[in-house]
Amino acid sequence: MKAQLSLLSLALVTSLGSAQISAKEALQFKDVFDFKYAKGTQLSEDGQILSFSADPYRGNAQGQVYTLNNNTLLTSVERGTRPTINKAANWVAFTQVPTLLEKETTKKKDELKNNLVLVNTKNGEQQTFNDVKDYALSDDGVWLAYRLDKKADKKADKKDSEEKDENSSEIKPDKKDKSFDLVLVNLQDKTTHTLNNVFSYAISSTGEQLLASQSYSDGADNQVVLVALNNDFKTSVLIDEPGVVANKIAWQPNSNTAALLIGNYVNDDTRRRDHSLQLLQNGALSTINSADSSWTIGKTASLKWSEDGARLYFENHPKLAAKVALKEYKDEASLYDFDTIRDQKGLNVWHNKDAEIKPREEQQWNKANKLRHYQAVYHVNGQHVVQLSTPNMPEVSLNTHREALLGYSDRPYLERIMYGGFYADYFSVDVKTGKQTAIVSDYPFRPSLAPNGQFAAFFQDSQVQLKDLGNNKVSTLSKAINAIFADDKHDYPSPQPGYGFAGWLNDSSQVLVYSKFDIWAFDVATQKATRLTQGKESNTQYRVIKLDKDQVGFAKDETLLLSATNLQDKQTEIAKLDLTSNKVSKVLSGKKRYDVVKKAKSADKYLFTAQTYQQFPDYYQTDFSFKKPQRVTNLNPQISNFAWGEKPELISYKGFDGEDLQGVLIKPAGYKKGDKVPVVVYFYRYMSQRMYDFPKMELNHRPNFPMFTSNGYAIFLPDIRFEIGHPGKSSTQTMINATQKLIDLGIADPNKIGLQGHSWAGYQSAFMITQTDMFKAVVSGAPVSNMTSAYSGIRLKSGLARQFQYETGQSRIGKTLFEAPELYIENSPVFFADKVNTPILIMFGDKDDAVPWHEGVQYYLALRRAGKDATFLQYEGEPHHLKKFPNQVDFSVRMMEYFDHYLKGKPAAEWIKNGVPFIEE
C-alpha cells in the first residue's frame, strides 16, 4: 500500500514540479475567468459514470461525462448544467442553458429557454430536446417525459371556447401555476405521445405508469390522469372535476402505488383551500386523513416515501380561522367612514411583550410561519397516521430510515434569542406512536439521539452527558477521562460547546464521541469508555467521514473512513478505523489535503480530491482499499502557465495572551531568500488550517491569493485570538505579534504591509489602525465602526436584533450596553478616528443585510472630519457580500490598485487621487 501511495504522490509532485519550472506569466484578472469548478457532481449508483458541470468563473459551462472503467471523458455538452443520472445509469441528462451573451443581452428574461440534452452512457451520443421547462427520466431509462416551455392552448383539443355555456364561471389557476404540454418519449423506439396543459407529473419507479395533472386556464376541464406507458399510452381519468389540481405526486419505490396532494382552485385563498392526500393503489384512489380531524393539508406540503415504501411522510397543519375581511371603499359614504379609513392604514405595532421584534416576526412569517406545516407519517401496512411534530414542538429532523426522530422547539426562547443566542427544548419522537420524550430543555446545542430513541447524549458543564430516556437518569460519561471534550478554541462569552458526536452503533449500545484529538466509544450499559484512535500522541485530530446523510448508525464490525488532520502541520489525510479491532490505518497521506467526497450507492467506488496551494482539487477514484487511486479529471491545466506563488509555510508566533499560534505565509513566485517583499495580510479568525487548500479562483470581497502572489506580493493568513470584553485590543496585539514575526524573519518589508478583512475582520482591521501604524494601507469590508449604535441595530436578512452578537456572540463584549458602556466605546474605532495615520479603503453594499451600511458611513465621516486619508466605496443594491459580477470585478481591481499604490509605490489611479464625481445622465 505504501508503495502505491508513494507512486501517486511522486507522480503528483513531479507534475507540479514541471508546472512550476515552466511557469512564466503573472496572473491577470482576466485569467481568473477561465478557472473551472465541478458543480452538481453525480456518481451513478453502479459507480461506472461520473458527471458534473464544469463551470468557469466567467463564461459558459460545459457538462462532462466520464466513464470510470477507463477514466476517460466520454463526451462534453456545451452549456450543460445540473446533470442527472438515472438509476440504471444508461442516460445522463443535462439542462442546457442559454449562452452567457444571451443572458447578458436579453432584456426579457422569460424569452430565454433551456434545452434538454441526453447523453447515452454506452456510446456518448447526444440527443437534444429544445425549449424544455422540466423533465423526468424513468429509472430504467426507457421513458422520458418533459414539458415544452411554450404557452399551452387555453382549450387545446377540448371543446371550442365558443361552445361553452355563457353563464359558466371560470376557475383560474394560481398566478404562479403554469401548465405546459407534456411530451412522452420512448427512448428505445422513439415513439412519442403528448398530453396538453400539464401542471404536474411523475413517472412510476417501475417505469410502467405516469401520473399527470392537467390544468386549464378556465378550470372547466381540469383532471388527473393515469397513463399506461407500456400499453399504447392508454389514459385513465382518475379525477375529473372543475378546478382540480395535483400539487404534488410521489410514487412509492418499487411499486405502482402513489401519493397525490389534491387541491382545487375553486377557492382563491391558497392558505385556506381544501386539500386532500390521496393514495393510488391498484388503480383506485383512497383518502389519507390526519389523525386529528381539525387538521388539514396545504398546497406546499411535502411528500416523501421511506426507501422500503412502508411509510409515507407528509406535512399537515391545523385548519386556519376565517380570513379577517378589511373594509374597502365602495361608495360615497365609505369614503368618510372612520373604520373603513383606518383599515387602509400601513402600520406595525412594536410592543415590549412581543416574543420577537417586528422585523424578525415578519421575516419568520414569510419564511416559515405563513405556510407552516408539521410533520406526519402514514404507516401503509397499519393504515394509520401518526403526528410527529406539533405547534408546541414544530420541528423534527426527518430521516426516513429512523425509528426515532430528534424533535425540537425554540418557541419558549424567542425573546432570549434576540440577546442570548439560540436555545431550544429537544425531544425524542417515536415514529410508530408519535410519543414525545424530553431530552434536554433550554439548551444551546444539538443533542445526539440513539437509533432506538431510548438514549441521548449531549454536552453540558464541560462534560459529555448520557440520558436514559426510560428513567430520565443523566450520567456524566467523560469526567474521569484524561481528554479534552470541550472546544478549547471557544473564545466567546457563551456556553462552551463540545467537539461533537460521531454517531451511534446501530443497536444503540454505544455512542461515539469526539474529544479534541480522538474518537471515544462509550457503552451505554456499563458507561465504560474506549479510545478508538490514538491521535493525542501525534497531535492528530480524527473525525468520521459521513458520505450517506441518511445513515442511522454504524455496524459493530464496520470499518469507518476517517479524516486525520495534524493540528501542527495542518495535513489532512484519510484513514480507516476497524471497529472490531480498533485498528487505525492511514490510506491516503502526504503533504497535501485529501477529502473523500462521494461513494457510489451500490458499488465499491469512491471519489476523493487531493489539493495544495498549487494543485487544483481534481477528482480521483478508488475502491475501499485505496491501494490504487486513479486520477479522473484535469479541469485546470492552465495553472502551469502562471507564476503561481511559492509553497506555503507555517509561521509560529504568540497570541495576545502568550498562546502559541500559527499563520500561513505564501511568498511571491520566484522569491529569493533575503528579499523583503510587500505583504497583504488577510484574516478573520483561524486561518492556518488553509495551509494545503487550493485558493478559490474567483473575484469577490477577499483578495484572490494567486493574483497577489503571482504579482510580487506575499500573502499572510494568521490565526487571531480574542479576549472577552476586549476583542479590539486583543486581536490588534495578536496581529502585531504575527506581522512582526514576518519582519523579524526578514521577509516583510516593514514599509509595505497591507491589511484586508471583511465583516468581522473588516471591523478588526478598522480598529487596528486606531492602535498601530504598522500597516501602510488597509482595505476594510463591511465593518462595524460604532458598537454603541450597532448594538441595537437589526440584521435585515434574519430580522434579529444585533444585541446577541455583542452579549454572547462574535463581537465578544459579554455585557449589555447599559452594564459596560465603556467596553462598547473602547472597542469602537469611530471614537478613535483621530488616531488613524493609515490610508483606509472602506467598502459596503448599501443593502447590507448583516451590518448596517451606515456603520461604514459613520467611520468614513469621522475619518474625513479628522482629516484622514479615507475612501468609501458604496456598491449600490449589494448585500453583505458582493453578488453582482461587475461589482465583484470592480472591487477586486480597485483593491489591487490601492495596494499597488500604497505598498508598491505605483502611481495612484485617478479615483484614489481625486475620487469619482457623481454624474447621472
Side-chain angles (χ1 to χ4, degrees):
M1 180 183 295
K2 290 183 179 178
Q4 295 288 352
L5 293 175
S6 298
L7 288 174
L8 170 66
S9 300
L10 178 62
L12 295 177
V13 170
T14 301
S15 173
L16 291 173
S18 300
Q20 290 295 333
I21 292 171
S22 61
K24 296 179 181 179
E25 303 174 25
L27 196 69
Q28 304 299 316
F29 284 106
K30 62 180 177 58
D31 298 320
V32 178
F33 296 173
D34 299 328
F35 278 82
K36 300 180 181 68
Y37 283 84
K39 300 288 182 67
T41 300
Q42 300 291 308
L43 180 61
S44 62
E45 292 191 8
D46 63 5
Q48 295 301 304
I49 301 296
L50 168 66
S51 183
F52 54 81
S53 175
D55 283 15
Y57 180 61
R58 177 70 165 176
N60 294 310
Q62 183 186 73
Q64 296 189 353
V65 181
Y66 292 81
T67 54
L68 297 186
N69 59 345
N70 56 12
N71 300 316
T72 59
L73 179 64
L74 178 66
T75 190
S76 297
V77 176
E78 290 301 314
R79 308 187 312 282
T81 67
R82 303 193 295 276
T84 299
I85 305 176
N86 71 312
K87 192 177 184 68
N90 46 8
W91 298 102
V92 180
F94 288 93
T95 298
Q96 187 180 58
V97 298
T99 66
L100 177 61
L101 181 61
E102 290 172 324
K103 293 177 183 177
E104 295 287 12
T105 58
T106 302
K107 302 299 182 184
K108 296 182 179 180
K109 299 305 180 184
D110 59 355
E111 294 178 357
L112 297 173
K113 308 295 183 183
N114 295 330
N115 299 328
L116 169 66
V117 178
L118 286 186
V119 174
N120 187 318
T121 60
K122 302 301 181 185
N123 53 30
E125 292 181 355
Q126 300 182 16
Q127 298 181 50
T128 301
F129 303 85
N130 296 324
D131 301 333
V132 173
K133 182 67 176 177
D134 45 44
Y135 67 91
L137 271 170
S138 63
D139 288 348
D140 59 11
V142 175
W143 296 99
L144 166 69
Y146 68 92
R147 291 197 301 169
L148 274 171
D149 194 0
K150 297 178 180 178
K151 283 188 176 181
D153 294 334
K154 184 175 182 181
K155 292 298 296 178
D157 60 346
K158 297 292 182 179
K159 297 178 182 179
D160 190 277
S161 59
E162 295 180 358
E163 297 180 6
K164 289 196 310 177
D165 183 350
E166 294 182 359
N167 296 322
S168 66
S169 60
E170 293 187 350
I171 306 174
K172 295 183 178 181
D174 296 338
K175 188 175 182 179
K176 293 183 178 180
D177 290 355
K178 305 296 182 184
S179 296
F180 303 90
D181 287 347
L182 178 73
V183 181
L184 301 174
V185 183
N186 186 314
L187 294 172
Q188 293 180 335
D189 61 21
K190 309 303 181 185
T191 56
T192 64
H193 179 71
T194 301
L195 286 175
N196 54 62
N197 293 76
V198 171
F199 169 66
S200 62
Y201 63 98
I203 301 174
S204 67
S205 55
T206 64
E208 298 172 352
Q209 298 176 327
L210 174 137
L211 276 167
S213 177
Q214 294 177 283
S215 178
Y216 297 84
S217 58
D218 64 359
D221 299 301
N222 285 15
Q223 58 185 12
V224 178
V225 298
L226 179 67
V227 181
L229 297 178
N230 295 324
N231 189 17
D232 297 325
F233 305 107
K234 180 182 178 182
T235 302
S236 305
V237 177
L238 299 178
I239 307 175
D240 182 9
E241 63 182 58
V244 72
V245 62
N247 291 294
K248 301 281 175 59
I249 302 171
W251 286 96
Q252 188 183 48
N254 306 313
S255 81
N256 285 329
T257 296
L260 299 92
L261 177 54
I262 302 296
N264 196 302
Y265 292 126
V266 69
N267 181 357
D268 60 7
D269 184 346
T270 57
R271 294 182 65 231
R272 293 170 178 80
R273 181 181 296 153
D274 288 331
H275 290 82
S276 65
L277 180 59
Q278 301 284 319
L279 191 66
L280 174 67
Q281 286 180 306
N282 302 319
L285 287 171
S286 59
T287 301
I288 299 175
N289 294 311
S290 295
D292 189 329
S293 60
S294 65
W295 284 52
T296 186
I297 189 168
K299 177 179 180 177
T300 60
S302 65
L303 305 178
K304 187 175 183 179
W305 288 95
S306 61
E307 193 168 4
D308 61 4
R311 298 167 180 162
L312 172 65
Y313 292 84
F314 66 97
E315 294 177 316
N316 57 3
H317 65 82
K319 293 178 180 178
L320 303 177
K323 188 176 182 179
V324 177
L326 299 178
K327 296 181 178 181
E328 299 179 351
Y329 298 126
K330 295 181 179 179
D331 49 34
E332 187 72 18
S334 68
L335 295 174
Y336 303 94
D337 179 74
F338 201 66
D339 291 336
T340 304
I341 293 171
R342 293 190 69 189
D343 271 359
Q344 315 310 309
K345 66 184 178 298
L347 173 68
N348 275 325
V349 178
W350 298 41
H351 197 280
N352 67 305
K353 291 184 179 179
D354 290 339
E356 300 176 301
I357 61 173
K358 277 295 176 286
R360 175 67 172 177
E361 194 176 4
E362 180 179 354
Q363 189 267 357
Q364 286 292 285
W365 173 256
N366 290 318
K367 182 180 179 181
N369 294 333
K370 183 177 182 179
L371 302 174
R372 165 72 71 179
H373 278 83
Y374 303 92
Q375 191 66 58
V377 61
Y378 174 67
H379 294 270
V380 177
N381 295 332
Q383 296 185 353
H384 70 284
V385 170
V386 173
Q387 194 66 41
L388 300 176
S389 64
T390 64
N392 290 328
M393 193 211 68
E395 306 292 344
V396 292
S397 296
L398 182 61
N399 182 327
T400 60
H401 297 270
R402 291 185 64 101
E403 299 297 321
L405 302 176
L406 183 68
Y408 53 99
S409 173
D410 64 359
R411 295 177 68 87
Y413 314 107
L414 294 180
E415 181 180 358
R416 195 207 299 182
I417 286 171
M418 295 294 154
Y419 57 86
F422 295 88
Y423 286 78
D425 297 334
Y426 289 89
F427 303 84
S428 171
V429 182
D430 191 309
V431 172
K432 293 180 180 178
T433 65
K435 179 182 177 182
Q436 300 174 6
T437 304
I439 298 173
V440 61
S441 299
D442 197 4
Y443 187 62
F445 312 119
R446 186 185 183 90
S448 181
L449 181 64
N452 64 7
Q454 298 303 304
F455 300 93
F458 56 95
F459 192 81
Q460 198 169 58
D461 301 326
S462 299
Q463 302 294 336
V464 180
Q465 313 287 343
L466 175 72
K467 184 173 184 178
D468 184 330
L469 302 185
N471 58 22
N472 287 326
K473 181 181 178 181
V474 177
S475 305
T476 301
L477 297 179
S478 56
K479 191 171 184 179
I481 297 175
N482 183 23
I484 301 172
F485 289 92
D487 183 355
D488 60 353
K489 286 187 175 182
H490 185 76
D491 55 358
Y492 297 86
S494 61
Q496 189 177 25
Y499 277 103
F501 301 94
W504 295 75
L505 294 190
N506 284 327
D507 63 3
S508 302
S509 63
Q510 294 183 9
V511 58
L512 274 55
V513 183
Y514 294 136
S515 67
K516 180 175 182 177
F517 297 104
D518 291 304
I519 304 171
W520 293 75
F522 291 92
D523 188 288
V524 299
T526 66
Q527 298 183 17
K528 178 183 177 181
T530 303
R531 185 158 68 126
L532 305 181
T533 60
Q534 305 298 314
K536 182 178 180 180
E537 291 77 2
S538 61
N539 210 14
T540 300
Q541 186 177 74
Y542 287 100
R543 296 295 183 258
V544 176
I545 297 173
K546 299 177 182 178
L547 299 176
D548 181 2
K549 62 182 178 60
D550 293 324
Q551 183 176 2
V552 175
F554 309 120
K556 288 185 176 181
D557 60 351
E558 191 168 342
T559 298
L560 306 180
L561 278 178
L562 308 179
S563 65
T565 303
N566 187 292
L567 299 186
Q568 183 62 35
D569 64 24
K570 311 304 178 184
Q571 288 180 227
T572 296
E573 302 169 327
I574 305 301
K576 293 195 291 190
L577 167 63
D578 185 340
L579 291 179
T580 58
S581 63
N582 295 339
K583 180 182 178 181
V584 175
S585 56
K586 289 188 178 180
V587 294
L588 288 175
S589 60
K591 293 185 177 299
K592 49 179 59 69
R593 169 183 159 182
Y594 293 96
D595 294 280
V596 182
V597 293
K598 277 189 179 296
K599 180 196 179 298
K601 184 175 182 179
S602 305
D604 183 17
K605 184 64 63 70
Y606 293 80
L607 289 180
F608 71 88
T609 60
Q611 63 180 298
T612 67
Y613 183 73
Q614 293 95 347
Q615 179 184 337
F616 181 81
D618 277 296
Y619 286 132
Y620 293 77
Q621 66 146 313
T622 183
D623 58 21
F624 193 65
S625 73
F626 284 81
K627 289 183 178 180
K628 297 181 180 179
Q630 304 168 41
R631 184 170 181 167
V632 181
T633 65
N634 186 20
L635 286 180
N636 293 292
Q638 73 274 25
I639 293 174
S640 62
N641 297 331
F642 302 109
W644 199 254
E646 298 301 303
K647 182 180 177 181
E649 305 170 37
L650 283 171
I651 304 297
S652 298
Y653 55 92
K654 298 292 185 179
F656 76 93
D657 56 357
E659 180 183 2
D660 290 326
L661 295 176
Q662 293 175 303
V664 177
L665 174 66
I666 311 164
K667 296 172 184 174
Y671 178 83
K672 296 178 182 178
K673 187 175 181 179
D675 288 350
K676 293 183 178 181
V677 296
V679 177
V680 171
V681 182
Y682 175 74
F683 68 109
Y684 192 85
R685 190 184 176 217
Y686 288 100
M687 304 292 285
S688 60
Q689 70 274 12
R690 300 189 184 195
M691 172 70 176
Y692 290 100
D693 287 6
F694 183 82
K696 280 284 187 181
M697 292 308 294
E698 57 190 16
L699 306 175
N700 52 21
H701 59 277
R702 65 174 69 91
N704 180 289
F705 300 161
M707 184 66 63
F708 282 84
T709 58
S710 182
N711 286 277
Y713 290 90
I715 286 285
F716 186 44
L717 314 175
D719 291 341
I720 297 291
R721 282 278 287 181
F722 306 92
E723 180 183 4
I724 294 173
H726 309 280
K729 289 183 177 180
S730 55
S731 63
T732 298
Q733 186 59 58
T734 301
M735 182 63 78
I736 290 173
N737 296 351
T739 308
Q740 186 62 47
K741 187 62 176 287
L742 297 186
I743 297 172
D744 294 344
L745 290 171
I747 297 169
D749 185 327
N751 296 311
K752 297 180 179 180
I753 302 174
L755 195 61
Q756 201 278 338
H758 188 86
S759 192
W760 175 235
Y763 155 73
Q764 293 176 70
S765 58
F767 181 87
M768 287 174 184
I769 59 173
T770 69
Q771 308 295 306
T772 178
D773 295 337
M774 172 176 276
F775 306 102
K776 306 310 174 186
V778 168
V779 178
S780 173
V784 165
S785 65
N786 186 349
M787 289 191 177
T788 68
S789 60
Y791 172 77
S792 289
I794 294 171
R795 294 181 66 95
L796 296 178
K797 185 176 183 178
S798 65
L800 289 170
R802 293 177 52 82
Q803 293 161 342
F804 76 93
Q805 292 183 239
Y806 300 91
E807 295 183 35
T808 58
Q810 186 181 63
S811 298
R812 296 173 171 86
I813 300 300
K815 295 182 179 181
T816 68
L817 179 61
F818 327 110
E819 292 172 320
E822 70 283 358
L823 293 181
Y824 285 80
I825 293 173
E826 171 196 311
N827 289 283
S828 297
V830 72
F831 291 103
F832 311 101
D834 61 324
K835 307 298 183 185
V836 172
N837 296 312
T838 303
I840 181 171
L841 178 65
I842 304 168
M843 184 275 282
F844 252 105
D846 62 13
K847 297 297 181 184
D848 194 309
D849 47 12
V851 178
W853 81 281
H854 279 87
E855 286 292 312
V857 175
Q858 284 190 57
Y859 198 33
Y860 164 75
L861 291 177
L863 291 165
R864 177 187 173 107
R865 179 66 183 85
K868 305 301 180 178
D869 185 348
T871 305
F872 186 81
L873 302 180
Q874 172 196 348
Y875 284 99
E876 297 176 334
E878 287 282 22
H880 191 55
H881 298 111
L882 298 177
K883 299 297 183 185
K884 300 173 184 177
F885 182 77
N887 293 339
Q888 293 174 333
V889 173
D890 181 80
F891 178 60
S892 295
V893 171
R894 292 183 192 275
M895 188 193 315
M896 178 71 85
E897 290 176 338
Y898 199 77
F899 284 132
D900 278 351
H901 173 60
Y902 286 104
L903 303 187
K904 284 187 172 182
K906 289 187 178 182
E910 180 63 24
W911 67 272
I912 296 177
K913 290 190 296 183
N914 299 312
V916 179
F918 178 83
I919 299 174
E920 188 172 70
E921 298 290 353

